[in-house]
Amino acid sequence: MGNIYGYVRVSTKEQNTDRQLIALLGAGVDKENIFVDKISGKDFERPSYKRLINRLRKGDTLFVKSIDRLGRNYGDVIEEWRRITKMKHADIVVLDMPLLDTRRGKDLLGTFISDIVLQLLSFVAENERANIRRRQAEGIEAAKARGVKFGRPKKPLPMEFDEQYRKWRDGEVTIAEAAKVCGMPASSFYAKARERMKNEQGQ
């Protein structure tokens, strides 16, 4: 009989881990064997997770409340799942999804079912991400059509700009002198002055 471990992850330090901890403790995992990360699940470069993986041995069991606590990228989750079960010969139990319990069905059928469920989850997750990106793009296009402006609002020009622009245009002051009066970098003053000049020429 191997050791029993638990893994808990939330994305930020402000998020609460109680729900996951209660589920793992209820499943029989000792508190001292629960590893907690408060970090994004975009990859597996997480301090507590690395310590947990280093400790896992053949015959051990890893409990997680849900599959997304392992990670957000299901392609990576599948690879990690295989590393734990095939290379380390440890078991994984996902409490929210009883089909993902490698202690059951050690035969070919049990392994096949777990693989199918993981692949299905991967497909659903990738499909949902694509739908989110599509909805975001459609939302942005609709907002633009309504006249919503994106990006940083333009910083208003200094009150002195108009007068200094006219003086620079008429050769009364240099770029550096005009920019200094306006409290702007010379490059910024020049860019705005060129823009103003083009607008005047286009009228």
Side-chain angles (χ1 to χ4, degrees), residues 2 10 13 18 20 39 48 76 82 100 114 116 123 133:
V10 290
K13 291 180 180 178
D18 287 353
Q20 295 179 63
I39 192 170
S48 292
D76 291 345
R82 287 175 179 154
L100 292 178
S114 287
I116 287 292
F123 170 77
R133 287 193 292 269

Side-chain angles (χ1 to χ4, degrees), residues 10-26:
V10 290
S11 297
T12 67
K13 291 180 180 178
E14 291 73 28
Q15 288 180 301
N16 197 299
T17 58
D18 287 353
R19 191 169 57 90
Q20 295 179 63
L21 288 169
I22 289 169
L24 295 179
L25 292 169

Side-chain angles (χ1 to χ4, degrees), residues 1-5 55-63 84-85 87-92 102-103 106:
M1 188 71 179
N3 293 314
I4 296 175
Y5 296 101
R55 191 176 295 188
L56 273 180
R57 298 290 182 269
K58 183 177 180 179
D60 291 346
T61 304
L62 169 60
F63 280 79
I84 292 169
T85 58
M87 296 173 64
K88 286 187 168 285
H89 302 286
D91 283 308
I92 305 177
T102 61
R103 299 171 305 175
K106 291 286 187 181

Side-chain angles (χ1 to χ4, degrees), residues 146-182:
R146 295 195 306 271
V148 176
K149 302 292 184 184
F150 291 88
R152 282 186 186 174
K154 288 186 177 180
K155 190 176 180 180
L157 291 170
M159 292 176 60
E160 300 86 358
F161 181 82
D162 288 343
E163 182 183 357
Q164 294 304 312
Y165 163 72
R166 181 188 56 76
K167 287 184 175 182
W168 169 76
R169 184 193 61 194
D170 296 342
E172 297 176 23
V173 295
T174 65
I175 284 285
E177 290 168 340
K180 186 175 181 180
V181 172
C182 293

Side-chain angles (χ1 to χ4, degrees), residues 44 49 67 70-86 92 100 114-126:
F44 289 94
Y49 184 80
I67 192 68
L70 277 180
R72 285 195 329 230
N73 185 317
Y74 277 77
D76 291 345
V77 167
I78 290 170
E79 289 305 310
E80 196 66 10
W81 183 282
R82 287 175 179 154
R83 178 163 80 111
I84 292 169
T85 58
K86 302 292 192 292
I92 305 177
L100 292 178
S114 287
D115 284 347
I116 287 292
V117 172
L118 281 171
Q119 294 291 345
L120 180 60
L121 284 172
S122 178
F123 170 77
V124 170
E126 289 297 329

Side-chain angles (χ1 to χ4, degrees), residues 184-202:
M184 300 170 67
S187 58
S188 298
F189 180 89
Y190 181 70
K192 294 297 182 183
R194 291 288 297 170
E195 186 179 324
R196 175 72 62 85
M197 188 177 289
K198 283 182 181 178
N199 289 339
E200 289 176 350
Q201 290 171 349

